[in-house]
Amino acid sequence: MDFGLVLQTDPPAAEVVALMRRAEGAGFRYGWTFDSAVLWQEPFVILSQVLAATETLRVGTMVTNPGTRTWEVTASTFATLNEMFGNRTVCGIGRGDSAMRVTGRPPNTLARLGLAVDAIRDLAEGREAVLDGTAVRLPWVRNGELPVWMAAYGPKALALAGGRADGFILQLADAFLTEWMTGAVREAAVAAGRDPRAVAVCVAAPAYVTDDDSPAALAHAREQCRWFGGMVGNHVADLVGRYGTDSGLVPEALTAYIARRDGYDYRHHGRSGNPDTAFVPDEIVDRFCLIGPPETHIARLRELAALGVGQFAVYAMHDARERVIDVYGERIIPALG
């Protein structure tokens, strides 16, 4: 199993670069950032500095979207980073939650997302793509490689990921839901005539390492990670609005917990202490995140690896970022190697 580190691009940017460098030294192979231009600093500027400060770390967005940047700009940016530093980038992409909603726009449609997946990959790898009826090619690209990994939860999005993306990003670490959703992705890959094993699977979730499993230690860890249930709840609310709660198309294990959800303020998005996540119960934090002593993390990660998960990406939006990097490097990554 590979490991990644996911960070928001909060200032100072130098701290993001330093944490990514620390992660590479600890054995992490991927470095990911959010992409929401209003809420955080511009990720690609910072990713260029991460690439310059590291040797082999692969970097990417978790996630960009096809609405806030034109597709040729996204492709050109990734291709430029690859030309400068070798093919060390991954385009993580989704419909767009915070990046779109914070500017008053709805997330992109799946149809638009599917077209963008193909166009961005083709352009960044030197092939021609048709944009709004015009054939476009980046003539300077040589030997470019850009895997495009897609974030998804709902049945149509999972089918799209399996049919067109190079990888699937699942933003939660619950074993039952991981098995259910990766199964849907693999079925879609087979239906599209693809090898389902060729679709990478990346599970991304907060990880908080405690000294022990005492009630006090776990309670603090939960409060540091509860924000994640609120972030996932935005996507779940969309699914409930589209499919309801008893269609069988979306597992109740994913949807039931948002019954007490009452709106969301993106000013607190992805941050510990988010006041809009009080509705998230401890049980969801424990299922969706990895919290507890190292042995607890290792046990869950082995379970996920057995389901075909090839990467666990650690969301480090809490008060112990350096510690989680270091303990993963010392205890957890070696156990999963």
Side-chain angles (χ1 to χ4, degrees), residues 158-286:
L158 295 169
L160 181 61
R164 312 228 340 226
D166 300 299
F168 162 50
I169 297 171
L170 175 58
Q171 291 167 308
L172 53 80
D174 176 79
F176 170 79
L177 291 173
T178 298
E179 183 174 21
W180 194 94
M181 293 184 183
T182 54
V185 169
R186 290 173 180 143
E187 288 177 7
V190 171
R194 308 176 69 198
D195 181 355
R197 296 169 298 180
V199 181
V201 178
C202 172
V203 162
Y208 198 100
V209 180
T210 61
D211 292 328
D212 53 41
D213 56 2
S214 67
L218 295 179
H220 179 77
R222 290 183 183 116
E223 290 312 310
Q224 288 294 307
C225 298
R226 198 175 303 278
W227 63 267
F228 185 66
M231 186 182 84
V232 174
N234 294 328
H235 303 286
V236 174
D238 284 347
L239 295 176
V240 170
R242 188 172 298 115
Y243 299 108
T245 57
D246 55 1
S247 65
L249 297 174
V250 183
E252 184 181 3
L254 177 63
T255 61
Y257 84 98
I258 69 162
R260 296 194 301 116
R261 179 180 181 270
D262 184 23
Y264 192 83
D265 186 341
Y266 280 90
R267 290 177 298 177
H268 311 291
H269 188 60
R271 302 190 185 281
S272 59
N274 186 333
D276 297 322
T277 60
F279 72 93
V280 179
D282 288 352
E283 180 254 345
I284 288 294
V285 180
D286 292 347

Side-chain angles (χ1 to χ4, degrees), residues 286-333:
D286 292 347
R287 282 175 43 209
F288 285 13
C289 307
L290 268 67
I291 64 171
E295 295 76 16
T296 300
H297 292 244
I298 291 168
R300 177 84 67 85
L301 289 168
R302 284 177 173 159
E303 191 175 5
L304 294 173
L307 296 174
V309 175
Q311 179 182 160
F312 177 61
V314 175
Y315 277 108
M317 293 80 176
H318 49 56
D319 64 1
R321 296 187 298 180
E322 290 85 358
R323 173 172 164 75
V324 76
I325 292 169
D326 294 346
V327 174
Y328 262 68
E330 294 164 5
R331 300 280 303 279
I332 297 170
I333 293 176

